[in-house]
Amino acid sequence: MPTAQTTVDDGEIAKFEAMAAEWWDLNGKFKPLHMLNPCRLDYITTQIAGEFDRDLKSDKPFAGLRILDIGCGGGLLAEPMARLGADVVGADAAAGNIPVAQIHAEQSGLEIDYRHTTAEAMAAAGEQFDVVLNMEVVEHVASPIDYLRACHDLLKPGGLHVCSTINRNPKSYVMAIVGAEQIMRWLPKGTHEWSKFITPDELFSLIAEAGMEPVDRKGFVFNPIAWSWKLSDRDLSVNYVTASLKPA
């Protein structure tokens, strides 16, 4: 097996280690993710169902699929995937997140394989998945292209990669950093670095360079009046999500 390289940014990991105990606090530091989660899940489940011809109204529609949630945190996405019947592996480079995720899964009666590891290490070990979920992670790694190459290697031929991140423009600075961190204080100051944000065109280019075929992208748009998120085909100005395939 090739030697596993790492794209882990130790400074970024330290930020999330400090917040690990608050993953399941609906009003804690991860409140923005809890608010966004229904919208994320809508996109993810629709993409998986479409790609693998699954009926979301059936019992355990994702049975037989092996799904990796890389950068799983406390398990906000891994748990719904397990409830839908998938064989789920949740991996995170921040060691403190894993026991939080494990305890919550046990309390919820769910079997999820949580691991303190990296995408690169799993790829070097020859792990393969039908789906790789890569949500709000790529803006925190040291080398996005090397990280995406590892995600490519983790997919089976024909596998689905779902990746979300934050656009880089003046609006995203105002919304994601000034608004979320400094005014609303949903996140600790310094959680994000604007310079690490990636535009949709840049991400599509990186995904293609990593060997995957981009097939879709949509925006996550926050409505401050309804206090909720929705998917948008046109507005990718701040938060957005992409889907891509590994050639069969």
Side-chain angles (χ1 to χ4, degrees), residues 71-220:
C72 64
L76 272 63
L77 289 174
E79 290 199 6
M81 295 299 104
R83 289 191 180 93
L84 290 169
D87 175 12
V88 181
V89 174
D92 205 297
N97 289 335
I98 300 304
V100 174
Q102 289 173 328
I103 290 170
H104 198 274
E106 290 171 5
Q107 292 173 339
S108 302
L110 298 170
E111 292 187 13
I112 299 173
D113 181 1
Y114 283 116
R115 308 179 190 178
H116 172 221
T117 187
T118 65
E120 293 80 16
M122 295 183 73
E127 295 270 6
Q128 292 266 276
F129 298 87
D130 298 289
V131 180
V132 171
L133 303 181
N134 170 15
M135 309 296 284
E136 290 83 46
V137 178
V138 70
E139 72 270 24
H140 295 288
V141 302
S143 173
I145 183 57
D146 290 324
Y147 172 67
L148 290 169
R149 284 176 178 142
C151 290
H152 163 275
D153 293 346
L154 287 164
L155 283 171
K156 297 177 183 178
L160 173 68
H161 173 248
V162 182
C163 177
S164 65
T165 189
I166 306 176
N167 203 339
R168 188 182 69 257
N169 54 41
K171 183 178 178 180
S172 69
Y173 182 86
V174 171
M175 298 292 289
I177 295 181
V178 176
E181 295 185 15
Q182 299 175 14
I183 297 176
M184 300 303 294
R185 297 189 179 181
W186 282 340
L187 294 168
K189 290 182 180 180
T191 298
H192 291 108
E193 293 181 36
W194 184 79
S195 62
K196 288 188 173 183
F197 291 174
I198 303 172
T199 70
D201 288 346
E202 288 172 347
L203 184 58
F204 259 31
S205 294
L206 288 167
I207 288 170
E209 186 180 345
M212 294 176 281
E213 178 187 355
V215 294
D216 187 61
R217 61 187 185 187
K218 285 183 171 58
F220 291 135

Side-chain angles (χ1 to χ4, degrees), residues 25-61:
D25 181 353
L26 297 180
N27 294 305
K29 292 183 173 66
F30 294 103
K31 181 178 180 178
L33 277 184
H34 284 281
M35 294 170 62
L36 179 59
N37 222 33
C39 196
R40 296 197 304 173
L41 286 168
D42 182 22
Y43 185 84
I44 290 167
T45 55
T46 298
Q47 290 294 320
I48 295 174
E51 185 60 32
F52 295 96
D53 193 23
R54 301 302 176 95
D55 181 1
L56 290 173
K57 296 180 180 178
S58 67
D59 185 42
K60 308 292 185 184

